[in-house]
Amino acid sequence: MSFFKSDTPADLLKHVLVILLATGILVFGFFYVYLPITTNHGETIVVPKVTGMSQAELEDYLDERDLAYFVDDSTYDASIRPGTVLTQEPKAGEKVKEGRKIYISVAMKNPPVIKMPKLTDGSLKNAQLILKSYDLIVGQIKLVPNIQKDAVLRQFVGGKEVAPGAAITKGTRVDLEVGDGLGNQEFPMPNLVNMPVDEATTLLVGQGLQVGEIFYQEPEEGQTEGTVVKQRPVATPGTTIRMGQLVDLWVAGQEPVKAVQ
């Protein structure tokens, strides 16, 4: 005989409701009581600011807050105390679960060793950009006689010339010897007075000199229009000039009108 044979429909409905109620209690207890207790569901910790702290004190500090840390990068900076925390991830103020690792970068104690870059045969501006990209410091810039203006001729560390590829630490100061664009060759100052201005400028360029300012003035008696009537430096006996220097000219007559392009 069936156990429920004499049960009425009302009794069956009661049994079904009891089963559904028990199932609901089990589901509710599993998802809203058991799981939260075992997984700390909903419990979060606000990440503290650790940048600027010393790595030595970081472990105890985070352990008290149920957090941990991991060093995933390091950088050298001579102006920062070694072991100082530079960056952190997650950022301060973010919410995480207990036991979460804070990924940090710290300042290195010793600068890394790199290869000295080649700065010679390039411009001063280019050398400065290269030094910055290598975390090296631009030191003293010494101008020396050379017709290559602003060209890097030699590179020094601590007063000694250093070759490209030599071992050097980041943060090292590098001194540069740079051409002044004048050169060290001296020769007598040419006399340009009474010479047509176009011939005078051609002569200057041919001797490695630079044409400076050209001033036009009303011709005086005996002066031919379009000729040089004065120059600076003056061509006196014994006057010398170095290659690359400027020479200013005074010319009799009106300044030529430039053609409109």
Side-chain angles (χ1 to χ4, degrees):
M1 293 181 64
S2 172
F3 181 77
F4 296 108
K5 186 175 181 179
S6 60
D7 289 347
T8 64
D11 293 331
L12 291 175
L13 181 59
K14 290 179 181 179
H15 291 310
V16 171
L17 290 175
V18 169
I19 294 172
L20 291 176
L21 180 61
T23 303
I25 292 173
L26 290 174
V27 171
F28 179 85
F30 180 78
F31 285 103
Y32 294 96
V33 178
Y34 174 76
L35 284 182
I37 292 175
T38 57
T39 63
N40 295 322
H41 181 71
E43 294 183 15
T44 58
I45 299 172
V46 177
V47 176
K49 181 176 183 263
V50 297
T51 54
M53 294 181 59
S54 169
Q55 184 183 354
E57 60 185 359
L58 195 59
E59 186 166 356
D60 290 341
Y61 180 79
L62 291 180
D63 189 56
E64 292 174 357
R65 290 159 177 78
D66 295 321
L67 295 170
Y69 76 91
F70 178 80
V71 180
D72 67 346
D73 194 14
S74 56
T75 304
Y76 178 77
D77 190 327
S79 63
I80 299 177
R81 180 168 49 90
T84 301
V85 179
L86 302 176
T87 63
Q88 67 177 84
E89 183 60 40
K91 305 294 184 184
E94 293 187 22
K95 294 183 178 181
V96 297
K97 285 190 175 184
E98 293 181 0
R100 172 68 185 272
K101 284 185 178 179
I102 309 299
Y103 293 88
I104 64 171
S105 65
V106 297
M108 298 174 62
K109 180 178 181 181
N110 298 314
V113 177
I114 60 174
K115 290 184 178 181
M116 177 70 195
K118 186 178 188 297
L119 306 174
T120 55
D121 300 329
S123 68
L124 172 60
K125 183 177 181 180
N126 186 59
Q128 292 170 324
L129 292 174
I130 293 175
L131 289 175
K132 184 177 180 181
S133 68
Y134 277 72
D135 290 330
L136 298 171
I137 300 173
V138 180
Q140 180 184 9
I141 298 174
K142 181 182 179 182
L143 296 178
V144 297
N146 192 285
I147 60 173
Q148 300 181 73
K149 183 173 176 58
D150 293 331
V152 178
L153 306 175
R154 294 197 293 174
Q155 52 198 38
F156 299 86
V157 171
K160 295 182 179 180
E161 188 169 2
V162 57
I168 187 174
T169 57
K170 283 190 176 183
T172 296
R173 184 180 300 274
V174 180
D175 301 322
L176 302 174
E177 192 174 272
V178 180
D180 61 3
L182 300 178
N184 55 9
Q185 181 180 350
E186 291 190 0
F187 49 87
M189 178 67 209
N191 185 7
L192 308 171
V193 176
N194 297 324
M195 185 180 294
V197 64
D198 56 345
E199 293 183 15
T201 55
T202 301
L203 176 62
L204 290 175
V205 173
Q207 293 192 0
L209 300 171
Q210 297 186 58
V211 180
E213 295 285 345
I214 299 180
F215 305 96
Y216 288 86
Q217 62 185 40
E218 287 295 325
E220 298 179 4
E221 186 177 352
Q223 295 178 345
T224 303
E225 190 168 342
T227 60
V228 177
V229 296
K230 182 182 175 182
Q231 67 183 69
R232 183 173 58 199
V234 179
T236 57
T239 301
T240 60
I241 190 170
R242 282 198 302 167
M243 186 179 294
Q245 283 189 292
L246 293 171
V247 179
D248 298 326
L249 303 174
W250 281 258
V251 180
Q254 299 293 323
E255 181 176 2
V257 178
K258 296 181 180 180
V260 179
Q261 297 291 332

